[in-house]
Coordinates of all heavy atoms in Angstrom, one line a residue:
M1 N 81.2 99.1 135.3 CA 81.4 100.4 135.9 C 80.3 100.7 136.8 O 79.1 100.7 136.4 CB 81.8 101.5 134.9 CG 82.3 102.7 135.5 SD 82.8 103.8 134.0 CE 82.1 105.3 134.6
G2 N 80.6 101.2 138.0 CA 79.6 101.5 138.9 C 79.0 103.0 138.7 O 79.5 103.7 137.9
Q3 N 78.0 103.3 139.5 CA 77.4 104.6 139.5 C 78.2 105.6 140.2 O 78.7 105.2 141.2 CB 75.9 104.4 140.0 CG 75.2 105.7 140.4 CD 74.7 106.5 139.2 OE1 74.1 105.9 138.2 NE2 75.0 107.7 139.0
S4 N 78.3 106.8 139.7 CA 79.0 107.8 140.5 C 78.0 108.6 141.4 O 76.8 108.7 141.1 CB 79.6 108.9 139.5 OG 80.6 108.3 138.8
M5 N 78.5 109.0 142.5 CA 77.8 109.9 143.4 C 78.7 110.9 143.8 O 79.9 110.9 143.6 CB 77.3 109.0 144.5 CG 76.3 108.0 144.3 SD 74.8 108.4 143.6 CE 73.9 109.2 145.0
V6 N 78.2 111.9 144.6 CA 79.0 113.0 145.1 C 78.9 113.0 146.6 O 77.9 112.8 147.2 CB 78.5 114.3 144.4 CG1 79.0 115.5 145.3 CG2 79.1 114.5 143.1
A7 N 80.0 113.3 147.3 CA 80.0 113.4 148.7 C 80.9 114.7 149.0 O 81.5 115.3 148.2 CB 80.8 112.2 149.3
I8 N 80.7 115.2 150.2 CA 81.4 116.5 150.6 C 82.3 116.2 151.8 O 81.9 115.5 152.8 CB 80.4 117.5 151.0 CG1 79.5 118.0 149.9 CG2 81.1 118.8 151.7 CD1 78.5 118.9 150.2
T9 N 83.5 116.6 151.7 CA 84.5 116.5 152.9 C 84.2 117.7 153.8 O 84.5 118.8 153.5 CB 85.9 116.6 152.4 OG1 86.1 115.5 151.4 CG2 86.9 116.4 153.5
E10 N 83.4 117.4 154.9 CA 82.9 118.5 155.6 C 84.0 119.5 156.2 O 83.7 120.7 156.0 CB 82.1 118.0 156.9 CG 81.3 119.1 157.5 CD 81.0 118.8 159.0 OE1 80.1 118.1 159.2 OE2 81.7 119.4 159.8
P11 N 85.1 119.0 156.7 CA 86.0 120.0 157.1 C 86.5 121.0 156.1 O 87.0 122.1 156.3 CB 87.3 119.1 157.7 CG 86.6 117.8 157.9 CD 85.5 117.8 156.9
D12 N 86.4 120.7 154.8 CA 86.9 121.5 153.7 C 85.7 122.4 153.2 O 86.0 123.3 152.4 CB 87.4 120.6 152.5 CG 88.6 119.9 152.8 OD1 89.3 120.2 153.8 OD2 88.9 118.9 152.1
C13 N 84.6 122.3 153.7 CA 83.5 123.0 153.2 C 83.3 124.3 154.0 O 83.1 124.2 155.3 CB 82.1 122.2 153.3 SG 80.7 123.3 152.9
T14 N 83.6 125.4 153.5 CA 83.4 126.7 154.2 C 82.1 127.2 154.3 O 81.8 128.3 154.9 CB 84.2 127.8 153.4 OG1 83.7 128.0 152.1 CG2 85.7 127.4 153.2
G15 N 81.0 126.5 153.6 CA 79.7 127.0 153.7 C 79.4 128.3 152.7 O 78.6 129.0 153.0
C16 N 80.3 128.3 151.7 CA 80.1 129.5 150.8 C 78.9 129.5 150.0 O 78.5 130.5 149.4 CB 81.3 129.6 150.0 SG 81.4 128.3 148.7
D17 N 78.2 128.3 149.8 CA 77.0 128.2 149.1 C 77.1 128.2 147.6 O 76.1 128.1 146.9 CB 75.9 129.2 149.6 CG 75.5 129.1 151.0 OD1 76.0 128.1 151.6 OD2 74.7 129.9 151.4
L18 N 78.4 128.3 147.1 CA 78.5 128.5 145.6 C 77.9 127.2 144.9 O 77.5 127.3 143.7 CB 80.0 128.6 145.3 CG 80.6 130.0 145.4 CD1 82.0 130.1 145.2 CD2 79.9 131.0 144.5
C19 N 78.1 126.0 145.5 CA 77.6 124.8 144.7 C 76.1 124.6 144.6 O 75.7 124.0 143.8 CB 78.2 123.6 145.5 SG 77.8 123.5 147.2
I20 N 75.4 125.3 145.5 CA 74.0 125.0 145.7 C 73.3 125.2 144.3 O 72.6 124.4 143.8 CB 73.3 125.9 146.6 CG1 73.8 125.5 148.0 CG2 71.8 125.8 146.6 CD1 73.3 126.4 149.1
S21 N 73.5 126.3 143.6 CA 72.9 126.6 142.3 C 73.4 125.8 141.2 O 72.8 125.8 140.1 CB 72.9 128.1 142.0 OG 74.3 128.5 141.9
H22 N 74.6 125.0 141.4 CA 75.0 124.2 140.4 C 74.3 122.8 140.3 O 74.6 121.9 139.3 CB 76.5 124.0 140.5 CG 77.3 125.3 140.1 ND1 77.8 125.4 138.9 CD2 77.5 126.3 140.8 CE1 78.4 126.5 138.8 NE2 78.3 127.1 140.0
C23 N 73.5 122.5 141.3 CA 72.8 121.2 141.3 C 71.4 121.3 140.7 O 70.5 122.0 141.3 CB 72.7 120.6 142.7 SG 71.8 119.0 142.8
P24 N 71.2 120.8 139.6 CA 69.8 120.8 138.9 C 68.8 120.0 139.7 O 67.6 120.2 139.5 CB 70.0 120.2 137.5 CG 71.3 119.6 137.6 CD 72.1 120.0 138.8
F25 N 69.2 119.2 140.7 CA 68.2 118.3 141.4 C 68.1 118.8 142.8 O 67.5 118.0 143.6 CB 68.7 116.9 141.3 CG 68.8 116.4 139.9 CD1 70.0 116.4 139.1 CD2 67.7 115.8 139.2 CE1 70.1 116.0 137.8 CE2 67.7 115.5 138.0 CZ 68.9 115.5 137.2
E26 N 68.6 119.9 143.2 CA 68.4 120.5 144.4 C 68.8 119.5 145.6 O 68.2 119.4 146.6 CB 66.9 121.0 144.7 CG 66.6 122.0 143.6 CD 65.3 122.6 143.9 OE1 64.7 122.6 144.9 OE2 64.7 123.2 142.9
A27 N 70.0 118.9 145.4 CA 70.4 117.9 146.3 C 71.6 118.4 147.2 O 72.0 117.8 148.0 CB 71.1 116.7 145.5
L28 N 71.9 119.7 146.9 CA 72.9 120.3 147.8 C 72.2 121.3 148.7 O 71.7 122.4 148.2 CB 74.0 120.9 147.0 CG 74.8 119.9 146.1 CD1 75.8 120.8 145.2 CD2 75.7 119.1 147.0
L29 N 72.2 121.0 150.0 CA 71.4 121.9 150.9 C 72.3 122.3 152.2 O 73.1 121.5 152.6 CB 70.1 121.4 151.4 CG 69.1 121.2 150.3 CD1 67.9 120.4 150.8 CD2 68.6 122.6 149.7
P30 N 72.1 123.5 152.7 CA 72.8 123.8 154.0 C 72.4 123.0 155.2 O 71.1 122.9 155.3 CB 72.6 125.3 154.2 CG 71.8 125.7 153.0 CD 71.3 124.6 152.3
L31 N 73.2 122.7 156.1 CA 72.8 122.2 157.3 C 72.1 123.2 158.1 O 72.4 124.4 158.0 CB 74.0 121.6 158.1 CG 74.5 120.2 158.1 CD1 75.5 120.0 159.2 CD2 73.2 119.2 158.3
A32 N 71.0 122.7 158.9 CA 70.3 123.8 159.6 C 71.1 124.4 160.8 O 70.9 125.6 161.2 CB 69.0 123.0 160.3
S33 N 72.2 123.7 161.2 CA 73.0 124.4 162.2 C 74.4 124.1 162.0 O 74.8 123.0 161.4 CB 72.6 124.1 163.6 OG 72.6 122.5 163.7
N34 N 75.4 124.8 162.6 CA 76.8 124.5 162.4 C 77.3 123.5 163.5 O 77.1 123.8 164.7 CB 77.7 125.8 162.5 CG 79.0 125.7 161.8 OD1 79.2 124.9 161.0 ND2 79.8 126.7 162.2
P35 N 77.8 122.4 163.1 CA 78.2 121.4 164.0 C 79.3 122.0 165.1 O 80.1 122.9 164.7 CB 78.9 120.2 163.3 CG 78.3 120.4 161.9 CD 77.9 121.9 161.7
K36 N 79.3 121.6 166.2 CA 80.3 122.0 167.2 C 81.7 121.7 166.8 O 81.9 120.7 166.1 CB 80.0 121.4 168.6 CG 78.8 122.0 169.3 CD 78.7 121.3 170.7 CE 77.4 122.0 171.4 NZ 76.9 121.2 172.4
N37 N 82.6 122.5 167.2 CA 84.1 122.2 167.0 C 84.5 122.3 165.5 O 85.5 121.8 165.1 CB 84.6 120.9 167.5 CG 84.3 120.8 169.0 OD1 84.5 121.7 169.7 ND2 83.9 119.6 169.4
R38 N 83.6 123.0 164.7 CA 84.0 123.2 163.3 C 84.9 124.5 163.1 O 84.7 125.5 163.8 CB 82.6 123.4 162.5 CG 82.7 122.9 161.1 CD 81.3 123.0 160.5 NE 81.2 124.0 159.5 CZ 81.7 123.9 158.3 NH1 82.3 122.8 157.9 NH2 81.6 124.9 157.4
K39 N 85.9 124.3 162.2 CA 86.8 125.5 162.1 C 86.2 126.6 161.4 O 86.7 127.8 161.5 CB 88.2 125.0 161.6 CG 88.0 124.6 160.1 CD 89.4 124.2 159.5 CE 89.3 123.8 158.1 NZ 90.5 123.3 157.5
H40 N 85.2 126.4 160.6 CA 84.6 127.4 159.8 C 83.4 128.0 160.6 O 82.7 127.2 161.2 CB 84.1 127.0 158.5 CG 85.2 126.4 157.7 ND1 86.3 127.1 157.2 CD2 85.5 125.1 157.3 CE1 87.1 126.4 156.5 NE2 86.6 125.2 156.5
S41 N 83.1 129.2 160.5 CA 81.9 129.9 161.3 C 80.6 129.5 160.6 O 79.7 129.7 161.4 CB 82.3 131.4 161.4 OG 82.3 132.0 160.1
K42 N 80.6 129.2 159.3 CA 79.4 129.1 158.7 C 79.1 127.5 158.6 O 80.0 126.8 158.4 CB 79.4 129.6 157.2 CG 78.1 130.2 156.8 CD 78.2 131.0 155.6 CE 76.9 131.0 154.9 NZ 76.9 131.4 153.4
R43 N 77.9 127.1 158.6 CA 77.4 125.7 158.6 C 77.7 125.2 157.1 O 77.8 125.9 156.2 CB 76.0 125.6 158.8 CG 75.0 125.8 157.6 CD 74.9 127.4 157.4 NE 74.2 127.7 156.3 CZ 74.7 127.9 155.0 NH1 75.9 127.7 154.8 NH2 73.8 128.2 154.0
P44 N 78.1 123.9 157.1 CA 78.4 123.3 155.8 C 77.2 122.9 155.0 O 76.1 122.9 155.4 CB 79.2 122.0 156.3 CG 78.5 121.6 157.4 CD 78.1 123.0 158.2
I45 N 77.5 122.5 153.8 CA 76.5 122.0 152.8 C 76.5 120.4 152.9 O 77.6 119.9 153.2 CB 76.8 122.5 151.5 CG1 76.8 124.0 151.3 CG2 75.9 121.7 150.4 CD1 75.5 124.5 151.5
I46 N 75.4 119.8 152.7 CA 75.4 118.3 152.7 C 74.7 117.9 151.4 O 74.0 118.8 150.7 CB 74.6 117.7 153.9 CG1 73.2 118.1 153.8 CG2 75.2 118.1 155.1 CD1 72.2 117.2 154.5
V47 N 75.0 116.7 151.0 CA 74.4 116.1 149.8 C 73.1 115.3 150.3 O 73.2 114.5 151.1 CB 75.4 115.0 149.2 CG1 74.6 114.5 147.9 CG2 76.7 115.7 148.7
V48 N 72.0 115.7 149.8 CA 70.7 115.0 150.1 C 70.7 113.7 149.2 O 70.4 113.8 148.0 CB 69.5 115.9 149.8 CG1 68.2 115.2 150.2 CG2 69.5 117.1 150.7
A49 N 71.0 112.6 149.8 CA 71.2 111.4 149.1 C 70.1 111.0 148.1 O 70.3 110.5 147.1 CB 71.6 110.3 150.0
E50 N 68.9 111.2 148.7 CA 67.7 110.7 147.9 C 67.5 111.5 146.6 O 66.8 111.1 145.6 CB 66.4 110.8 148.7 CG 66.3 109.9 149.9 CD 67.0 110.4 151.2 OE1 67.7 111.5 151.1 OE2 66.9 109.8 152.2
Q51 N 68.1 112.8 146.5 CA 67.9 113.5 145.4 C 69.2 113.6 144.4 O 69.1 114.1 143.3 CB 67.6 115.0 145.8 CG 66.2 115.1 146.4 CD 65.9 116.4 147.1 OE1 65.3 116.4 148.2 NE2 66.2 117.5 146.5
C52 N 70.3 113.1 144.9 CA 71.5 113.2 144.0 C 71.5 112.0 143.1 O 71.4 110.8 143.5 CB 72.8 113.1 144.9 SG 74.2 113.0 144.0
V53 N 71.6 112.4 141.8 CA 71.5 111.4 140.7 C 73.0 111.1 140.2 O 73.2 110.3 139.4 CB 70.7 111.8 139.5 CG1 69.2 112.0 140.0 CG2 71.2 113.1 138.9
G54 N 74.0 111.7 140.8 CA 75.4 111.5 140.4 C 75.7 112.0 139.0 O 76.6 111.6 138.4
C55 N 75.1 113.2 138.6 CA 75.4 113.8 137.4 C 76.7 114.5 137.3 O 77.3 114.8 136.3 CB 74.2 114.8 137.0 SG 74.2 116.3 138.1
L56 N 77.3 114.8 138.5 CA 78.6 115.4 138.7 C 78.6 116.8 138.2 O 79.8 117.6 138.0 CB 79.7 114.6 138.0 CG 79.8 113.2 138.5 CD1 80.9 112.5 137.8 CD2 79.9 113.0 139.9
S57 N 77.5 117.5 137.9 CA 77.5 118.8 137.5 C 78.1 119.8 138.5 O 78.6 120.9 138.1 CB 76.0 119.4 137.2 OG 75.4 118.7 136.2
C58 N 78.0 119.4 139.7 CA 78.4 120.4 140.9 C 80.0 120.3 141.2 O 80.6 121.2 141.8 CB 77.7 120.0 142.1 SG 78.0 118.2 142.6
I59 N 80.6 119.2 140.7 CA 81.9 118.9 141.1 C 82.9 120.1 141.0 O 83.6 120.5 141.8 CB 82.6 117.8 140.4 CG1 82.0 116.5 140.9 CG2 84.1 117.7 140.4 CD1 82.6 115.9 142.1
G60 N 83.0 120.8 139.8 CA 83.9 121.9 139.6 C 83.5 123.3 140.2 O 84.2 124.2 140.1
S61 N 82.4 123.3 140.9 CA 81.8 124.5 141.4 C 82.5 124.8 142.8 O 82.3 126.0 143.3 CB 80.4 124.5 141.5 OG 80.0 123.6 142.5
C62 N 83.1 124.0 143.4 CA 83.6 124.2 144.8 C 85.2 124.6 144.8 O 85.9 124.0 144.3 CB 83.5 122.8 145.6 SG 84.2 123.0 147.3
P63 N 85.2 125.9 145.4 CA 86.6 126.5 145.3 C 87.5 125.8 146.2 O 88.8 126.0 146.1 CB 86.3 128.0 145.8 CG 85.0 127.9 146.5 CD 84.2 126.8 145.8
T64 N 87.0 125.0 147.2 CA 88.0 124.4 148.2 C 88.2 122.8 147.9 O 88.9 122.2 148.6 CB 87.5 124.4 149.6 OG1 86.3 123.8 149.7 CG2 87.2 125.9 150.0
G65 N 87.5 122.4 146.9 CA 87.7 120.9 146.5 C 87.0 120.0 147.4 O 87.3 118.9 147.6
A66 N 86.0 120.6 148.2 CA 85.3 119.8 149.1 C 84.3 118.7 148.6 O 84.0 117.7 149.2 CB 84.5 120.6 150.1
L67 N 83.8 119.0 147.3 CA 83.0 118.0 146.6 C 83.9 117.0 146.0 O 84.9 117.3 145.2 CB 82.2 118.8 145.6 CG 81.1 119.7 146.0 CD1 80.6 120.5 144.9 CD2 80.0 119.0 146.8
H68 N 83.5 115.8 146.1 CA 84.4 114.7 145.4 C 83.4 113.5 145.0 O 82.3 113.3 145.6 CB 85.6 114.2 146.4 CG 85.1 113.6 147.6 ND1 84.8 114.4 148.8 CD2 84.7 112.3 147.9 CE1 84.4 113.6 149.7 NE2 84.3 112.3 149.2
E69 N 83.8 112.9 144.0 CA 83.2 111.7 143.3 C 83.4 110.5 144.3 O 84.5 110.2 144.7 CB 83.6 111.6 142.0 CG 82.8 110.5 141.3 CD 83.4 110.3 139.9 OE1 84.2 111.0 139.3 OE2 83.0 109.3 139.1
V70 N 82.3 109.8 144.4 CA 82.4 108.4 145.1 C 81.8 107.4 144.1 O 80.8 107.8 143.4 CB 81.8 108.4 146.4 CG1 82.6 109.1 147.5 CG2 80.4 108.8 146.4
Q71 N 82.4 106.3 144.1 CA 81.8 105.2 143.2 C 81.0 104.3 143.9 O 81.5 103.8 145.0 CB 82.9 104.5 142.4 CG 83.7 105.3 141.5 CD 82.9 105.5 140.1 OE1 82.2 104.5 139.7 NE2 83.0 106.6 139.5
T72 N 79.8 103.8 143.4 CA 79.1 102.7 144.1 C 79.6 101.4 143.4 O 80.0 101.4 142.2 CB 77.6 102.8 143.9 OG1 77.4 102.8 142.5 CG2 77.1 104.1 144.5
P73 N 79.6 100.3 144.1 CA 80.0 99.1 143.6 C 79.1 98.7 142.4 O 77.9 99.1 142.4 CB 79.9 98.0 144.7 CG 79.9 98.9 145.9 CD 79.3 100.2 145.4
I74 N 79.5 97.9 141.4 CA 78.8 97.5 140.2 C 77.5 96.9 140.7 O 76.4 97.1 140.1 CB 79.6 96.6 139.4 CG1 80.7 97.3 138.8 CG2 78.8 96.0 138.2 CD1 81.8 96.5 138.1
D75 N 77.6 96.0 141.6 CA 76.4 95.3 142.1 C 75.6 96.0 143.2 O 74.7 95.3 143.9 CB 76.7 93.8 142.4 CG 77.8 93.8 143.6 OD1 78.3 95.0 143.9 OD2 78.0 92.7 144.1
A76 N 75.8 97.2 143.4 CA 75.1 98.0 144.6 C 73.7 98.0 144.2 O 73.4 98.3 143.1 CB 75.7 99.3 144.9
S77 N 72.8 97.8 145.3 CA 71.5 98.1 145.1 C 71.0 99.4 145.6 O 69.8 99.8 145.4 CB 70.6 96.9 145.7 OG 70.9 96.9 147.2
Q78 N 71.8 100.1 146.3 CA 71.5 101.4 146.7 C 72.7 102.3 146.9 O 73.8 101.8 147.1 CB 70.6 101.4 148.0 CG 71.4 101.1 149.2 CD 70.5 101.2 150.5 OE1 69.4 101.6 150.5 NE2 71.2 101.0 151.6
S79 N 72.5 103.7 146.9 CA 73.7 104.5 147.1 C 74.3 104.4 148.4 O 73.6 104.2 149.5 CB 73.1 106.0 146.8 OG 74.1 106.9 147.4
P80 N 75.7 104.4 148.5 CA 76.4 104.4 149.8 C 75.9 105.6 150.6 O 76.0 105.6 151.9 CB 77.8 104.4 149.5 CG 77.9 104.9 148.1 CD 76.6 104.5 147.4
L81 N 75.5 106.8 150.0 CA 75.1 107.9 150.7 C 73.8 107.6 151.5 O 73.5 108.3 152.5 CB 74.8 109.1 149.7 CG 76.0 109.5 148.9 CD1 75.6 110.8 148.0 CD2 77.1 109.9 149.9
L82 N 73.0 106.7 151.1 CA 71.8 106.3 151.8 C 72.0 105.5 153.0 O 71.1 105.1 153.8 CB 70.8 105.6 150.9 CG 70.3 106.4 149.7 CD1 69.5 105.5 148.7 CD2 69.3 107.4 150.3
L83 N 73.2 105.1 153.3 CA 73.6 104.4 154.5 C 73.7 105.3 155.7 O 73.9 104.8 156.8 CB 74.9 103.6 154.3 CG 74.8 102.5 153.1 CD1 76.2 101.8 153.0 CD2 73.8 101.5 153.4
M84 N 73.6 106.6 155.5 CA 73.6 107.5 156.7 C 72.4 107.1 157.5 O 71.3 106.9 157.0 CB 73.4 109.0 156.2 CG 74.7 109.6 155.7 SD 74.5 111.3 155.6 CE 73.4 111.6 154.2
P85 N 72.6 107.0 158.9 CA 71.5 106.7 159.8 C 70.3 107.4 159.7 O 69.2 107.0 159.7 CB 72.2 106.6 161.1 CG 73.5 107.4 161.0 CD 73.8 107.4 159.6
K86 N 70.4 108.7 159.7 CA 69.3 109.7 159.8 C 69.6 110.9 158.9 O 70.6 111.5 159.3 CB 68.9 109.9 161.2 CG 67.7 110.8 161.2 CD 67.3 110.9 162.7 CE 66.1 111.9 163.0 NZ 66.7 113.3 163.3
P87 N 68.9 111.3 157.9 CA 69.2 112.6 157.3 C 69.2 113.7 158.2 O 68.2 113.9 159.0 CB 68.1 112.7 156.1 CG 67.4 111.4 156.2 CD 67.6 110.6 157.4
P88 N 70.3 114.5 158.2 CA 70.3 115.7 159.0 C 69.4 116.8 158.6 O 68.8 116.9 157.5 CB 71.7 116.1 159.0 CG 72.2 115.7 157.7 CD 71.4 114.5 157.3
E89 N 68.9 117.7 159.6 CA 68.0 118.8 159.2 C 68.8 119.8 158.4 O 70.0 120.1 158.6 CB 67.5 119.5 160.5 CG 66.3 120.3 160.3 CD 65.8 120.8 161.7 OE1 66.2 120.2 162.7 OE2 65.2 121.8 161.6
T90 N 68.1 120.3 157.4 CA 68.7 121.3 156.5 C 67.9 122.6 156.5 O 66.7 122.7 156.9 CB 68.8 120.8 155.0 OG1 67.5 120.3 154.6 CG2 69.7 119.6 155.0
E91 N 68.6 123.6 156.0 CA 67.9 125.0 155.8 C 67.2 124.9 154.5 O 67.7 124.4 153.5 CB 68.9 126.0 155.7 CG 69.6 126.5 156.9 CD 70.7 127.5 156.7 OE1 70.7 128.2 155.6 OE2 71.5 127.8 157.6
P92 N 66.0 125.6 154.4 CA 65.4 125.7 153.0 C 66.2 126.7 152.1 O 66.8 127.6 152.7 CB 64.1 126.4 153.4 CG 64.2 127.0 154.7 CD 65.3 126.3 155.5
V93 N 66.2 126.5 150.9 CA 67.0 127.4 149.9 C 65.9 127.8 148.9 O 65.2 127.1 148.3 CB 68.1 126.7 149.2 CG1 68.6 127.4 148.1 CG2 69.1 126.3 150.2
N94 N 65.8 129.1 148.6 CA 65.0 129.7 147.6 C 65.6 129.6 146.3 O 66.5 130.4 146.0 CB 64.6 131.1 148.0 CG 63.8 131.8 146.9 OD1 63.2 131.0 146.1 ND2 63.5 133.1 146.9
R95 N 65.2 128.6 145.5 CA 65.8 128.5 144.1 C 65.0 129.2 143.0 O 65.5 129.9 142.2 CB 65.9 127.0 143.8 CG 66.9 126.1 144.4 CD 68.3 126.5 144.0 NE 68.5 126.2 142.7 CZ 69.2 125.0 142.2 NH1 69.4 124.1 143.1 NH2 69.4 124.9 140.9
W96 N 63.7 129.1 143.1 CA 62.9 129.5 141.9 C 61.9 130.6 142.2 O 61.3 131.1 141.2 CB 62.2 128.2 141.3 CG 63.1 127.1 141.2 CD1 63.1 125.9 141.9 CD2 64.3 127.1 140.3 NE1 64.2 125.1 141.4 CE2 64.9 125.8 140.5 CE3 64.9 127.9 139.4 CZ2 66.1 125.4 139.8 CZ3 66.1 127.6 138.7 CH2 66.6 126.4 139.0
K97 N 61.6 130.9 143.5 CA 60.7 132.1 143.7 C 61.4 133.4 143.4 O 62.6 133.4 143.2 CB 60.2 132.0 145.2 CG 59.3 130.8 145.5 CD 58.9 130.8 146.8 CE 58.3 129.4 147.2 NZ 58.3 129.4 148.7
K98 N 60.7 134.5 143.6 CA 61.3 135.9 143.4 C 62.4 136.0 144.3 O 62.5 135.6 145.4 CB 60.3 136.9 143.8 CG 60.6 138.3 143.4 CD 59.5 139.3 143.7 CE 60.0 140.7 143.3 NZ 59.1 141.7 143.7
G99 N 63.6 136.4 143.7 CA 64.9 136.6 144.4 C 65.7 135.3 144.6 O 66.6 135.5 145.3
G100 N 65.2 134.2 144.0 CA 65.8 133.0 144.2 C 67.2 132.9 143.5 O 67.5 133.7 142.6
I101 N 68.0 131.9 143.9 CA 69.3 131.9 143.4 C 69.3 131.2 141.9 O 70.3 131.2 141.2 CB 70.3 131.0 144.3 CG1 69.8 129.6 144.6 CG2 70.5 131.8 145.6 CD1 70.8 128.8 145.3
G102 N 68.1 130.4 141.7 CA 68.1 129.9 140.2 C 69.1 128.9 140.0 O 69.5 128.1 140.8
W103 N 69.5 128.9 138.7 CA 70.5 127.8 138.2 C 71.7 128.6 137.8 O 71.7 129.6 137.1 CB 69.8 127.1 137.0 CG 70.7 126.3 136.2 CD1 71.0 126.5 134.9 CD2 71.4 125.1 136.6 NE1 71.9 125.6 134.3 CE2 72.0 124.7 135.4 CE3 71.5 124.4 137.7 CZ2 73.0 123.6 135.3 CZ3 72.2 123.3 137.7 CH2 73.0 122.8 136.6
A104 N 72.9 128.0 138.2 CA 74.2 128.7 137.8 C 74.5 128.6 136.3 O 74.2 127.6 135.7 CB 75.3 128.1 138.6
Ligands
LIG208 S1 76.2 115.0 141.5 FE1 74.5 116.0 140.3 S2 72.6 115.6 141.4 FE2 74.5 115.1 142.8 S3 74.8 116.9 144.1 FE3 76.0 117.1 142.3 S4 74.9 118.2 140.7 FE4 73.5 117.5 142.3
LIG209 S1 81.1 125.2 147.1 FE1 82.4 123.8 148.3 S2 82.9 125.0 150.2 FE2 81.2 126.1 149.1 S3 79.4 125.5 150.2 FE3 79.8 124.1 148.3 S4 80.9 122.4 149.1 FE4 81.1 123.9 150.7

């Protein structure tokens, strides 16, 4: 059995931010800007591939079903999420300082 990872179907992500606090590894972060021609007015969340360990804790937190599991092949030497050409710029999220969103 291969390793599980999580990916986001961007058109289904409303940018509600509910999933962010469900990731213990801070692998879910908002994009720094909203891509053009997006139907939602708020920027989407992305999976930061280097930080996602595939624990799947976040899967049930998305009200639109935008988060989904992806399987890596048994003999894969790296996550398919790492095949993205260049990690996009993300917004900082305050998790643990005063007023931070903490852990769900
Ligand atoms: S699978 Fe786990 S590590 Fe990856 S984004 Fe979801 S909660 Fe975070
Ligand atoms: S919970 Fe779902 S819709 Fe909301 S920001 Fe996360 S992925 Fe996007």
Side-chain angles (χ1 to χ4, degrees):
M1 197 170 126
Q3 164 75 47
S4 292
M5 301 294 292
V6 157
I8 295 180
T9 306
E10 191 205 282
D12 294 340
C13 176
T14 61
C16 71
D17 296 355
L18 280 175
C19 56
I20 294 176
S21 60
H22 286 264
C23 176
F25 299 94
E26 303 187 18
L28 297 170
L29 291 176
L31 262 189
S33 58
N34 204 14
K36 283 182 184 162
N37 303 322
R38 216 173 103 76
K39 68 177 178 181
H40 302 293
S41 57
K42 215 172 159 199
R43 81 286 177 268
I45 296 295
I46 62 156
V47 181
V48 179
E50 292 85 354
Q51 287 169 225
C52 176
V53 300
C55 68
L56 306 182
S57 298
C58 58
I59 284 276
S61 67
C62 179
T64 68
L67 291 166
H68 60 273
E69 182 181 352
V70 291
Q71 291 281 327
T72 61
I74 295 168
D75 58 353
S77 58
Q78 68 173 8
S79 159
L81 301 179
L82 291 171
L83 298 177
M84 277 194 292
K86 182 172 173 263
E89 196 177 339
T90 53
E91 285 177 14
V93 170
N94 177 11
R95 286 290 295 268
W96 312 114
K97 292 181 195 160
K98 190 176 178 187
I101 60 172
W103 165 248

